[in-house]
Structure formats: structure tokens, C-alpha cells
Amino acid sequence: MLEFLALPAFQDNYIWLILDPQRQEAAVVDPGDAVPVITWLGRHPEYQLRHVLVTHHHRDHTGGLATLKAATDCRIWGPKAETIAGLDRQLNDGDSISILGQTLQVYAVPGHTLGHIAFYCDDPEEPWLLSGDTLFAGGCGRLFEGTAEQMHASLERLRALPDATSVYCAHEYTQANLRFAHAVEPDNSDIRVRLEVVDDLRAAGRITLPTSIALEKRTNPFLRSDVPAVVAAAAAQQGEPVSGGVATFAAIRAWKDRF
Ligand code: ZN
Ligand code: FE
């Protein structure tokens, strides 16, 4: 059984540390800074860092790669479609990789960046997803490189994963995301209840992750562009009717950018 530990970095990043206690092997995801990882490994010398997974090229996800490579004998896996120094293996959509006794599927999820990838483990009992800056708890990444159409398609793909899938994303943005979600759907009680829970967690300085595909389907406006209330909110914000999931998604994403 794997364990997930969030190492905080910078203002609001999490570097996920995935542990296999049986083999005493570890993997990390998107190490924007090597220091929290090296510090953890220093305190747990029984663990070997074997794998580093990278979802996209942004500095807050890659800044620690060179130091980790020099300090450990890890293998670094990341997207072929982006320029990232130090990758040992470049991954494409549809590839699978083996880490810590599990098989992960690689999904191309363009939108936030053009080559962004996600990693999915379809463990029948406990499926999990590493979503980087594509799917956040209550929100999604900004469109820095891709189009609304690409991001919408990427999120549709993630939305189709099993409800029980645990989702580990790379930032603590949940509270701001849910405040926006509440503005989009003021009558959605799932959003209201979740926002209260998240307010309490944040007031106590606690993490709001992981989330799940089931919870995101009920509360994340970016997975709900086919819901009439969300379509209506997008139209009200645009001042004209919107038709179709992509147009609704684009209107909601643009609204969030100025929220
Ligand atoms: Zn990013
Ligand atoms: Fe980021």
C-alpha cells in the first residue's frame, strides 16, 4: 500500500511524496524545490528516492530536478512535448510506466501548457491521479499556452475517470476556487458545504487535498459546463447566450481570471 505525503513549497505548491513502505522506496512529483525533498530524505535515511515525475515545464514544478539528480540516483520522467532539462525518459500520451510496484498511465492534458501530462493509476480498489496544474480542487489551471477547447477536452478526459479516483494536484488553491464556484452556482449546496469545510481546514492551516473525481463532478464549475445553472451563469457574465460545453467553459475560465 502506498502512502502520499504533501511537502509544502513556495507560497502554495505541494510536492507530493509517494512512499512504498514495504520496499522503502519513494517517488516525488513536480519538485519545484529540492530542499523539502532532500530534507525529508535526510530524516528518513531508510528510504531511497527512485523516481521523479514531472507534469509540465513551469519552474515551480521543475526547479529542483538538477539538485535531486545530483543528490540521489532517481530517474526523472516527464513530457516529451516540452523542453525540460534532465529528463531520463520522455513520455507521450498512452505510455505506461512502472513505479513503486504500480503501473501509471500517461495522459496528455494540454491547456495550462501545451505538453502537460497527468499520471493515472487504475488500482481497482484505490485509483489515483496526479493532475499537476490541470485539474485543481474546485478549479483548473490557467490557459497559459493552450486553448479553451484543448483544456475542456483534457478535463473531460479526467472527468471520465472512476468517481473513487483520488486526485493529487500541485497547488493549494481550493479555498479561492470554491469561492468562485459559489459565485457561479450560489444555489449548489455541495459547493456551499465544501467551502465551509475548506474554510475550517485553512483556518487551522491544514491541507485540503487530495480531492476525488466524485467531489469535483459535484463542485468544480470547470467540470460542470453542461449543467444548466453553469451555462446560465456563463451567459449572464458574457451578456449573451453561450452554446456548448467549450463556449461555457471558456466563459467561466475568463470570468475566473478576473474574479
Ligand atoms: Zn504551472
Ligand atoms: Fe504550478
Side-chain angles (χ1 to χ4, degrees):
M1 203 47 102
L2 300 183
E3 291 170 16
F4 289 76
L5 220 74
L7 304 177
F10 311 117
Q11 284 283 90
D12 49 37
N13 283 72
Y14 291 123
I15 300 167
W16 288 101
L17 178 65
I18 310 173
L19 302 174
D20 180 340
Q22 243 119 57
R23 299 165 197 239
Q24 304 203 308
E25 292 182 350
V28 290
V29 187
D30 286 350
D33 184 1
V35 172
V37 180
I38 302 273
T39 302
W40 191 93
L41 291 168
R43 289 185 186 141
H44 301 86
E46 69 278 17
Y47 273 94
Q48 296 293 319
L49 181 67
R50 291 283 184 228
H51 303 280
V52 176
L53 307 180
V54 181
T55 62
H56 67 294
H57 67 84
H58 285 159
R59 189 81 192 150
D60 63 314
H61 301 249
T62 58
L65 293 180
T67 303
L68 288 177
K69 187 73 191 169
T72 69
D73 58 10
C74 65
R75 291 195 74 196
I76 305 180
W77 314 70
K80 184 176 173 69
E82 300 198 338
T83 305
I84 299 171
L87 295 188
D88 294 304
R89 199 179 140 196
Q90 299 181 312
L91 301 170
N92 289 304
D93 186 58
D95 285 348
S96 352
I97 70 171
S98 292
I99 67 157
L100 311 179
Q102 308 275 324
T103 301
L104 305 191
Q105 293 162 25
V106 175
Y107 282 23
V109 284
H112 178 68
T113 62
L114 283 173
H116 197 302
I117 55 173
F119 298 88
Y120 174 62
C121 177
D122 70 348
D123 183 302
E125 266 140 60
E126 292 188 19
W128 47 275
L129 173 73
L130 306 170
S131 63
D133 284 0
T134 296
L135 176 61
F136 289 128
C140 75
R142 276 177 190 261
L143 302 180
F144 283 122
E145 297 176 10
T147 62
E149 190 161 18
Q150 286 174 316
M151 187 59 133
H152 180 256
S154 295
L155 292 172
E156 291 278 285
R157 225 175 144 191
L158 300 184
R159 185 174 74 162
L161 294 174
D163 276 349
T165 306
S166 294
V167 179
Y168 299 87
C169 58
H171 288 270
E172 181 59 70
Y173 290 158
T174 316
Q175 190 174 38
N177 285 340
L178 289 174
R179 283 180 186 149
F180 175 71
H182 180 60
V184 175
E185 290 186 82
D187 298 328
N188 181 325
S189 60
D190 290 325
I191 292 173
R192 211 162 42 230
V193 168
R194 188 179 184 193
L195 181 53
E196 279 172 24
V197 170
V198 164
D199 282 345
D200 287 350
L201 287 170
R202 295 310 294 153
R206 290 171 62 191
I207 186 171
T208 63
L209 305 173
T211 179
S212 69
I213 291 294
L215 184 54
E216 293 310 311
K217 280 157 77 171
R218 294 201 307 271
T219 58
N220 187 328
F222 298 103
L223 297 188
R224 295 171 59 78
S225 42
D226 56 344
V227 171
V230 176
V231 178
Q237 195 57 214
Q238 295 250 106
E240 58 184 23
V242 292
S243 69
V246 174
T248 302
F249 171 81
I252 298 285
R253 186 57 259 180
W255 178 10
K256 173 70 165 63
D257 288 345
R258 55 180 192 269
F259 185 75

